[in-house]
Amino acid sequence: MPYLDHIARALLVSVIVSVVLPTQVVEAAFSPQSASSAVPSTATVTPHVAVIGGDPVKYTATAGTIEVTGLGGQSRANVFYIAYTVDRRGEDGPRPLTFAYNGGPGGSSALVHMAAFGPRTIRLADAADPPPSPRTIIDNPDSLLDISDLVFIDPVGSGFSRLLPSAKADDFYGVTQDAHVTAQFIRRYIAQNDRWSSDKYLAGESYGTLRSAVTAKLLQQDGITLAGIVLMSTILDNTTLFPQAGNDEPYWLFLPSEAAVAAYHHRIVQPPDLDSFLREVRGFASGPYLAALAQGSALPQAQRESIAALLHRYTGLPIDQILRASLRVTPDGFARTLLADQGQVVARADGRFHAPLAQPAGEAAPTSDPAYDAIIPAFTAALNTYLRDELGYVTTERYVVLDPGIADAWQWAPTDRGSPTALSVGYDLRDVMLSNPDLRVFSVNGLFDLTSPFLASEYTLSHLGLPPERQSNIAYGYYPSGHMTYINEAARAQLKRDLTSFYRRR
């Protein structure tokens, strides 16, 4: 399934993510309508020690499933999870508890688990430095386990999470259905493990941020309040991400991210300071550029040419191409044009990565994303090895990193399938923040993310309609990486420092 087609239909993403993975590494063992009972119903519990932040941390890993019911209460499924808990009996107060997941829809928690927050990882792949082979599993020095217990959730249809016999996929595959199941899983995990007194956090990436907003509201309605929500590569309002007739928002919201990518690849005059440069581009994007787009065809020719020249300065794209596009070059168009003279296409997931264009150039859309091609195979192999060899979770089932068929079947609204472009769940986050004055939000943004750009995150989170005292509960972090901000060891280390401060401000 072509990446660009898939993202246009379903937001995509990741195992977390928002872009489709290469088909050769997607281990989908079933269709969205199928069911399996081969996954063990009993949990495996194993003791471990990892060095995190320079100190040894003793912890228990639990890999297992919790049964849930779909929307309507009839269909049933097993949700697979991996939990890490540190025994702190005798110390003051219970430990925080974080529920983490990736996106999709249809993606497992593989990357946010083994690349970002879990206690074990492999060496990360940076744009010019893919991980070595063999992929030795090592301690993750930037794991969150030293500051919070962790539960990684694989939504139904991903990982080892399976529909049970006679279950209906329609009861699980949709915005409302998915949040219902996620909230139900969290309630049951809390009850089974007596974690009612722990500060509770959600950490979702890409579509997982959308999941967090809706799930948080359901949890609050059920009396479960959250201490914090970590939004990684935010997707709350899809009108900010999908260019289409009558919607100019994505063009100016993507511009600073495109400028960052152009600077990274030396396609523009190198700014002496990237942060100052991006502030300049933000000002142009939300000022003169937005005003020019608002005039549509009424924009005078002289002003049109002036804006085109500035867009060329910030993106490196040819002025004639910008003018032919009426100042509206899509993110896909930018990714395919920036390095076209070198026969390369830039990755949407992380603009630092690139790969050869099909020849003749431009005649075929990329079938995958270069960033995922470089990253996913290593983590797919590592995760399967880790589950079996270190956690002792043995099953004949394949671990489903991403099932693209789930996105195709996704119900974005009560009567809508496969059309996410108008969906907005910002009001769910707003309602939760209005009801819970102590809830804090941390927005994680990759500067080179061409899927969910950082200016769109800023715009969405600053337009929730919150009063100033609640708006101040939202903080931001920016990292020299892409959609998976942690795929860069320096960025992951900075993210860990930022999240440590975020948790400790509680």
Side-chain angles (χ1 to χ4, degrees):
M1 181 181 305
Y3 153 65
L4 296 178
D5 290 346
H6 193 53
I7 192 170
R9 282 201 313 276
L11 270 199
L12 305 179
V13 96
S14 60
V15 276
I16 34 187
V17 233
S18 53
V19 285
V20 74
L21 307 182
T23 55
Q24 66 266 28
V25 301
V26 174
E27 299 191 34
F30 64 106
S31 72
Q33 298 293 333
S34 69
S36 171
S37 58
V39 175
S41 58
T42 56
T44 63
V45 181
T46 50
H48 304 269
V49 179
V51 176
I52 301 172
D55 297 318
V57 176
K58 294 181 179 181
Y59 64 93
T60 299
T62 303
T65 60
I66 289 178
E67 186 175 302
V68 296
T69 58
L71 201 62
Q74 301 302 315
S75 294
R76 295 180 301 125
N78 278 331
V79 173
F80 178 73
Y81 70 95
I82 299 175
Y84 299 102
T85 56
V86 174
D87 186 356
R88 288 184 57 189
R89 284 177 293 184
E91 298 187 23
D92 293 336
R95 301 192 84 224
L97 180 63
T98 300
F99 296 92
Y101 32 77
N102 281 125
S108 72
S109 63
L111 284 187
V112 76
H113 175 194
M114 284 208 75
F117 299 148
R120 299 282 278 166
T121 187
I122 62 175
R123 185 181 152 203
L124 298 178
D126 210 356
D129 186 23
S133 196
R135 278 90 182 192
T136 303
I137 298 173
I138 59 176
D139 288 345
N140 179 3
D142 305 312
S143 172
L144 289 184
L145 187 56
D146 59 339
I147 61 173
S148 173
D149 289 346
L150 303 169
V151 182
F152 296 97
I153 305 171
D154 289 337
V156 177
S158 71
F160 290 134
S161 298
R162 299 290 188 269
L163 299 172
L164 293 177
S166 76
K168 296 180 180 179
D170 284 352
D171 293 336
F172 296 90
Y173 297 147
V175 173
T176 302
Q177 298 94 313
D178 172 77
H180 166 81
V181 167
T182 305
Q184 182 184 165
F185 172 91
I186 291 171
R187 287 194 298 269
R188 292 186 177 182
Y189 181 89
I190 291 171
Q192 289 179 14
N193 294 276
D194 192 20
R195 299 303 298 263
W196 294 106
S197 59
S198 294
D199 281 345
K200 302 165 190 69
Y201 293 79
L202 303 182
E205 183 178 77
S206 195
Y207 181 87
T209 63
L210 189 157
R211 174 182 293 129
S212 290
V214 186
T215 298
K217 188 171 182 178
L218 293 177
L219 288 172
Q220 183 135 308
Q221 291 171 350
D222 202 37
I224 299 175
T225 58
L226 298 172
I229 299 176
V230 180
L231 301 174
M232 305 173 67
S233 304
T234 302
I235 295 176
L236 297 179
D237 184 350
N238 294 347
T239 63
T240 65
L241 305 178
F242 294 97
Q244 54 187 321
N247 177 23
D248 286 330
E249 280 187 0
Y251 298 109
W252 64 272
L253 291 173
F254 271 87
L255 182 61
S257 298
E258 293 168 347
V261 172
Y264 178 86
H265 290 289
H266 299 274
R267 306 300 286 186
I268 59 175
V269 175
Q270 288 300 287
D273 177 72
L274 183 61
D275 289 341
S276 297
F277 172 66
L278 293 180
R279 283 195 294 272
E280 175 187 330
V281 180
R282 277 186 181 94
F284 168 74
S286 60
Y289 185 34
L290 174 58
L293 293 174
Q295 293 188 56
S297 59
L299 183 68
Q301 183 62 25
Q303 190 175 353
R304 186 184 307 270
E305 292 175 357
S306 174
I307 294 293
L310 286 168
L311 289 172
H312 166 72
R313 174 188 168 192
Y314 291 137
T315 67
L317 298 185
I319 291 179
D320 60 344
Q321 177 186 349
I322 295 170
L323 288 171
R324 286 197 306 271
S326 298
L327 309 181
R328 294 166 174 82
V329 177
T330 66
D332 288 342
F334 171 82
R336 297 184 66 187
T337 303
L338 184 68
L339 301 179
D341 60 342
Q342 300 176 13
Q344 300 283 308
V345 60
V346 166
R348 286 285 306 274
D350 188 328
R352 299 174 303 150
F353 291 79
H354 55 87
L357 276 165
Q359 299 298 321
E363 290 200 357
T367 57
S368 62
D369 186 278
Y372 287 101
D373 289 345
I375 295 164
I376 296 301
F379 282 98
T380 300
L383 181 64
N384 277 279
T385 299
Y386 173 69
L387 286 166
R388 291 160 173 82
D389 294 353
E390 296 195 20
L391 301 189
Y393 198 85
V394 179
T395 172
T396 57
E397 289 289 302
R398 292 180 176 180
Y399 186 92
V400 181
V401 174
L402 175 72
D403 183 352
I406 291 176
D408 292 335
W410 205 251
Q411 191 171 340
W412 295 92
T415 59
D416 178 44
R417 291 181 188 278
S419 179
T421 56
L423 180 70
S424 176
V425 298
Y427 55 85
D428 288 292
L429 181 60
R430 175 204 64 200
D431 291 349
V432 175
M433 295 188 72
L434 287 174
S435 300
N436 179 3
D438 297 322
L439 176 64
R440 293 174 301 109
V441 173
F442 189 76
S443 173
V444 178
N445 301 275
L447 296 179
F448 307 113
D449 184 355
L450 296 176
T451 298
S452 53
F454 59 86
L455 186 56
S457 297
E458 295 171 0
Y459 180 79
T460 299
L461 293 173
S462 65
H463 285 75
L464 297 179
L466 295 171
E469 66 273 14
R470 302 297 165 84
Q471 188 69 41
S472 65
N473 284 351
I474 301 176
Y476 298 84
Y478 302 90
Y479 307 91
S481 195
H483 198 65
M484 304 83 68
T485 49
Y486 40 79
I487 301 297
N488 174 320
E489 291 187 353
R492 188 180 67 183
Q494 181 60 51
L495 175 61
K496 170 62 182 294
R497 291 191 291 270
D498 291 345
L499 289 179
T500 298
S501 297
F502 176 70
Y503 276 67
R504 290 178 177 170
R505 280 198 299 269
R506 175 66 174 165

